[in-house]
Amino acid sequence: MRGKNRYEVTGASLLLSGLLLSLAGFLVFSIEWLTALGIAMLIMGAILVALSRTVPTVSPEVCSLLLETGLENIAAIIEELGITSRAIYLPSSMTGGRPQALLPLQLNGHVPDISRKLPQRLIVQSGPAHDDIGLLVSTVGTAAFGLLDNRPGPGPAELDSALTYLLSGVLGIADRTWISYSGRNVTIEIASPRIRQRANWAHQFIGEPLASIAATMTAEALGKPVVIEKEGQVKGRYVVVLGVQDGHL
Amino acid sequence: MAIYNRYVICVAALILASAVILTASGQGNLGRFYTVFIIEAFAVTELFLYLNPKTRRALAPVSVILLIGFVAILFLEILKLRLLR
């Protein structure tokens, strides 16, 4: 019995038993607390039946399969092309409408000067120099951002609220976040992360899924490219440090 | 789904705890039980800020039904007071 059925069946059971209990308590036994208990069960049953209509219909195992398949394909491309640069997370204003990640093919140490919208291709010319060529890929962050109704604001409180809403309310993969700005760095702490970190070689270039989502949201909120400088588990929290490109905040 | 589970546990724990407290304090009025239950259900729903809009829309009919029940109880209490006069 999976998500939706579990809520639906439990809710229906509570509704039925609550109805019987409250009627018995009111009409037969005339016991107020028994009737109140039946009413409480009716309220909980109604809430559970309402929730059953909103839980995802795809099982977590299928979601995990889809995620792993996508990440393995990106890892294969990165390995074949010999990419050794970190991904630059770009806001949608710099791409064709969705925030994506640019993987520079050349390890020349500088972030390309992206002065125009990049075309929606896999291999793109990202800057004026001849070797400013990279792969423009969609990441976990790209897909997660599509679940939001509105673009987050640039302030730390607005970004914190949007990221917590996405990770906790929509995806259910963390409890909450704390965000702080310091110079050109953005530090994001994620409480109680529930995504397992896998030893995937590509993650050192595009980041783990949580870092990818955080970087995408930050790039979109600030309207500037960001790079994942550091990420890791620190005392029960997942900490991601992002470097904002193109000046201070 | 973790947030859904936390929400359900919060509502259930609050409602059942208040039922025990009200019974222990000798309350016999079902209207009072019901009023406390729905206030708690509304409060917890509002406090869970990060429930997504789809979930809030799904819970809206439940809130409406609970509110209708409250109005019915209010009406019955007013009727009782007028009859007592």
Side-chain angles (χ1 to χ4, degrees), chain A residues 3 6-7 26 32-33 35-37 39-40 43-44 46-48 50-51 54-55 149 161 164-165 168-169 175 194, chain B residues 1-8 11-12 15-16 23 28 30 33-34 37 50-55 58-59 62 66:
Chain A
R6 185 165 56 206
Y7 282 99
F26 187 69
E32 284 82 18
W33 64 262
T35 315
L37 187 63
I39 293 171
I43 294 172
M44 289 311 307
I47 287 173
L48 282 168
L51 285 179
T54 64
V55 292
D149 295 327
S161 177
T164 301
Y165 167 70
S168 175
D175 280 353
R194 286 184 277 278
Chain B
M1 271 165 53
I3 193 170
Y4 291 168
N5 295 340
R6 273 206 303 272
Y7 169 72
V8 167
V11 176
I15 284 179
L16 292 175
T23 305
L30 275 177
F33 277 96
Y34 182 76
F37 290 167
Y50 298 115
L51 285 174
N52 67 54
K54 194 178 165 191
T55 307
L59 288 171
V62 176
L66 293 178

Side-chain angles (χ1 to χ4, degrees), chain B residues 16-69:
Chain B
L16 292 175
S18 54
V20 169
I21 291 168
L22 287 170
T23 305
S25 63
Q27 284 296 329
N29 189 330
L30 275 177
R32 283 197 195 129
F33 277 96
Y34 182 76
T35 306
V36 168
F37 290 167
I38 66 166
I39 288 171
E40 285 165 350
F42 287 159
V44 173
T45 305
E46 288 308 310
L47 283 173
F48 270 73
L49 293 172
Y50 298 115
L51 285 174
N52 67 54
K54 194 178 165 191
T55 307
R56 289 190 178 276
R57 278 197 296 273
L59 288 171
V62 176
S63 302
V64 168
I65 291 168
L66 293 178
L67 206 56
I68 290 170

Side-chain angles (χ1 to χ4, degrees), chain A residues 6 45 49 51 84 87 89 93 99 108 112 120 131 138 151 160 162 169 176 200 207 211 226:
Chain A
R6 185 165 56 206
V49 167
L51 285 179
T84 50
Y89 282 83
S93 54
N108 49 22
Q120 274 295 293
D131 55 358
S138 292
R151 185 183 151 178
D160 182 28
R176 65 150 302 169
N200 188 317
V226 301

Side-chain angles (χ1 to χ4, degrees), chain A residues 123-139:
Chain A
I123 300 173
V124 295
Q125 180 82 36
S126 53
H130 287 298
D131 55 358
D132 283 339
I133 296 176
L135 295 185
L136 191 63
V137 297
S138 292
T139 64

Side-chain angles (χ1 to χ4, degrees), chain A residues 11-30:
Chain A
S13 308
L14 279 173
L15 280 174
L16 182 64
S17 40
L19 185 68
L20 292 172
L21 199 63
S22 48
L23 286 174
F26 187 69
L27 297 171
V28 179
F29 302 111
S30 299

